[in-house]
Amino acid sequence: MQVIEHQFLHYRNVLSYITQIDDDDISFFVVGVKNNICVLDLKLNGKIVFTKKDNFRNYKFHEFVIPVNKKFTSNQHYEFKSEFKLVNAVRVRHYGSFSTIKNKVDDLKAYIEEHSLTPVTQPYYMIQDCKNEIYDVFIGISENIL
């Protein structure tokens, strides 16, 4: 497993969408976004990133961060965010179904612990290739030395 440190994700103009979705349906959802974002008069402007949201009993809620080409007005379905920035993250690549990514996340968390790093975010997932099921996993790391 190759872990890359000091990674940086930065997007301007993102559509934030929180939905309840099973892990097995994520690739279908992303393909739908890619094929239909034009309905909102928007264009994708980067790779889609998402994270799991704590629902107290399970992790079926996900927030999708969708970089778009321009500002838009938020509504009851989705929210405009002017910026998304994740700094000083560690990253690992996962090949295979999203339903099996938990093992890679556990390995990344073990790496963080072994190297005495302090995580400050939950895992964020970047979809590199939906069709071939390639994902990058990012976890933000504290830059503080205490």
Side-chain angles (χ1 to χ4, degrees):
M1 173 181 79
Q2 181 182 13
V3 175
I4 302 174
E5 295 185 16
H6 309 293
Q7 296 296 285
F8 180 80
L9 284 177
H10 187 222
Y11 291 134
R12 295 196 189 279
N13 300 328
V14 300
L15 185 153
S16 171
Y17 180 68
I18 297 174
T19 187
Q20 187 173 2
I21 188 170
D22 289 326
D23 288 349
D24 293 337
D25 295 330
I26 288 174
S27 61
F28 298 114
F29 174 81
V30 169
V31 169
V33 168
K34 289 179 177 182
N35 291 336
N36 296 295
I37 194 81
C38 60
V39 171
L40 301 175
D41 193 30
L42 297 171
K43 293 180 184 175
L44 282 180
N45 198 24
K47 305 270 184 179
I48 296 174
V49 175
F50 64 96
T51 189
K52 294 182 176 191
K53 293 297 213 180
D54 190 359
N55 187 27
F56 301 108
R57 291 183 174 81
N58 59 37
Y59 273 112
K60 291 200 178 198
F61 283 90
H62 294 74
E63 178 184 13
F64 289 84
V65 177
I66 303 164
V68 294
N69 61 319
K70 62 183 179 181
K71 296 179 182 178
F72 60 90
T73 303
S74 298
N75 63 31
Q76 70 272 19
H77 303 291
Y78 47 82
E79 179 183 357
F80 172 76
K81 292 184 179 180
S82 61
E83 192 168 28
F84 172 83
K85 189 187 298 186
L86 178 62
V87 298
N88 195 36
V90 292
R91 175 179 64 90
V92 67
R93 180 151 290 171
H94 173 72
Y95 298 92
S97 167
F98 187 77
S99 61
T100 64
I101 204 167
K102 183 184 180 324
N103 295 334
K104 195 66 74 170
V105 172
D106 290 344
D107 291 346
L108 185 57
K109 287 179 179 180
Y111 175 92
I112 290 168
E113 188 174 321
E114 288 168 13
H115 289 82
S116 301
L117 302 172
T118 305
V120 293
T121 71
Q122 68 273 22
Y124 281 85
Y125 307 92
M126 177 182 279
I127 302 159
Q128 290 294 340
D129 185 335
C130 244
K131 181 180 176 184
N132 294 308
E133 298 184 303
I134 302 171
Y135 302 89
D136 284 343
V137 182
F138 295 84
I139 297 178
I141 300 299
S142 174
E143 296 182 281
N144 297 314
I145 299 172
L146 306 173

